[in-house]
Amino acid sequence: MTTPRGLPGSRLPWFARPAARAWTCAPVPVDVRAFHAGLSGYAPTPLAELPAIAALLGVGRAFVKDESTRMGLAAFKVLGASWAVHQVLSRHPAGAELLLVTASDGNHGRAVARMARLFGQRAHVFVPSGVHPVAIAAIAAEGARVTEVAGTYDEAVRLAAQAAREPSAVLVQDTAWPGYEQVPSWIVEGYSTLFTEIDRQLADAGVGGPGLVVIPVGVGSLAQAAVTHYRSRAGKSAPALLSVEPESAAGVLASLARGELVGVPTGATIMAGLNCGTTSMLAWPYLREGLDGALAIADADSIAAAHELAGHGIPAGPCGAAALAGALAALTGAGADARRAALGTGPDTTVVLLSTEGAAANPVPGAPC
């Protein structure tokens, strides 16, 4: 079933593919969590159970994976950046001095800058228009050179790739295109640690596994990691996977509706880290086959969700709050019965929301940081 223009009774930008739960893929080939466990400051981030959120969603249990404390960077991105930088450096002679170059809406750039500093390297980060000054200052505070681009995220990626052609420079980008696939694949592998943590934390809470996982999506690398994790576990029940994007940058939703990878023009959004018009080429086959649903939300939905989470002690930024906003859009309101059926979600379902950044990474107007 595909419904790119919304289900009957609903105007919500929405796509559904329940057959995704039957699709399988190969697992991540390495135990990345062992590497992360050896990094200074590593600890699993909290998986908070919020009964009030479960009641709002009409499900059995609801958990929020709170990335606001991730290694002091307030976002999950450091998991991918650290593994990728480690892989890059391991392929160069010991003592080599490299310039790590990337484009970022904030969190990925700061993570690359932190890893460069940790491993005694330099970093150059290109940021597009619309990135919050707090996020830009945080990247610069890690010792990176920051270049502000008067253009979109895609333009920043183009300029970063161009800068990385200089001698001793290496591009550490979290999106892929023809000829640039290895580093993005390492970044996706790095994100697997987040889902390994969730498995253990749910087991500790007496839950065998989630029934629905809601994932904020920018270029799609985290969603690719989610699909890889949950579609590669032989003998285990597969959860539904729902992606959430800003209405102004819904590239995954547009691609799913078209049945092919397409780029979309982007506009201003408070969800800066999700403001990506071009989905990663590496992620696309996984998202096409492995996502059960995709939808787009307005900035106001994200802001309201951030305030709701703050009331429960979760300091979510606008990208992190997008998961709750998307879950509310999918599971409540006009047309919800059909969407819940498409996602296999009922009153006994366990839902996991990925709050991918803390409020300190990208402040929400009026919400406590």
Side-chain angles (χ1 to χ4, degrees):
M1 180 178 85
T2 60
T3 51
R5 300 299 297 174
L7 292 167
S10 171
R11 298 175 62 188
L12 180 72
W14 161 259
F15 176 96
R17 185 178 178 272
R21 265 157 280 176
W23 186 72
T24 60
C25 63
V28 172
V30 291
D31 180 8
V32 182
R33 187 177 183 277
F35 162 77
H36 285 134
L39 290 177
S40 175
Y42 169 77
T45 52
L47 184 69
E49 182 168 12
L50 300 180
I53 297 296
L56 282 177
L57 298 176
V59 298
R61 301 179 77 173
F63 294 84
V64 177
K65 184 64 168 166
D66 177 10
E67 291 294 293
S68 66
T69 60
R70 179 65 73 181
M71 294 176 65
L73 294 181
F76 77 101
K77 291 281 190 175
V78 69
L79 293 174
S82 59
W83 178 248
V85 169
H86 167 70
Q87 293 296 323
V88 166
L89 295 180
S90 70
R91 286 159 173 78
H92 286 80
E97 294 185 4
L98 302 178
L99 174 65
L100 306 180
V101 184
T102 195
S104 174
D105 286 309
N107 294 327
H108 173 70
R110 186 182 179 193
V112 170
R114 170 67 64 87
M115 289 303 110
R117 182 162 64 85
L118 179 65
F119 293 120
Q121 307 295 331
R122 296 173 296 131
H124 186 182
V125 181
F126 290 78
V127 298
S129 298
V131 175
H132 198 286
V134 170
I136 294 173
I139 296 170
E142 298 292 344
R145 176 186 173 190
V146 179
T147 296
E148 297 184 51
V149 176
T152 65
Y153 172 81
D154 289 344
E155 176 65 8
V157 170
R158 186 186 70 79
L159 293 174
Q162 181 177 308
R165 296 176 190 148
E166 298 298 320
S168 300
V170 179
L171 185 66
V172 185
Q173 197 60 53
D174 56 350
T175 188
W177 55 84
Y180 186 73
E181 301 171 12
Q182 182 62 80
V183 171
S185 71
W186 288 329
I187 289 173
V188 173
E189 288 177 358
Y191 295 155
S192 66
T193 291
L194 186 151
F195 299 102
T196 301
E197 291 176 1
I198 290 173
D199 286 346
R200 297 184 181 186
Q201 290 166 322
L202 286 178
D204 290 343
V207 179
L212 172 65
V213 180
V214 187
I215 313 147
V217 171
V219 298
S221 295
L222 180 63
Q224 179 187 349
V227 171
T228 300
H229 182 79
Y230 291 111
R231 302 294 183 242
S232 64
R233 305 193 301 171
K236 292 192 176 182
S237 178
L241 303 177
L242 173 66
S243 71
V244 183
E245 299 171 283
E247 289 180 342
S248 59
V252 169
L253 183 61
S255 296
L256 291 171
R258 287 277 297 273
E260 62 180 341
L261 185 59
V262 297
V264 298
T266 60
T269 174
I270 194 172
M271 293 169 276
L274 308 183
N275 195 18
C276 309
T278 303
T279 302
S280 171
M281 179 195 73
L282 196 68
W284 168 241
Y286 291 83
L287 308 189
R288 180 188 63 214
E289 303 296 334
L291 285 177
D292 297 79
L295 55 77
I297 60 169
D299 279 4
D301 300 322
S302 173
I303 293 171
H307 282 274
E308 178 68 32
L309 289 170
H312 298 287
I314 305 292
C319 297
L324 174 57
L328 286 166
L331 303 181
T332 67
D337 288 347
R339 292 191 297 272
R340 293 172 74 94
L343 295 170
T345 301
D348 297 323
T349 299
T350 294
V351 175
V352 172
L353 308 174
L354 303 186
S355 181
T356 52
E357 67 172 6
N362 189 8
V364 175
C369 293

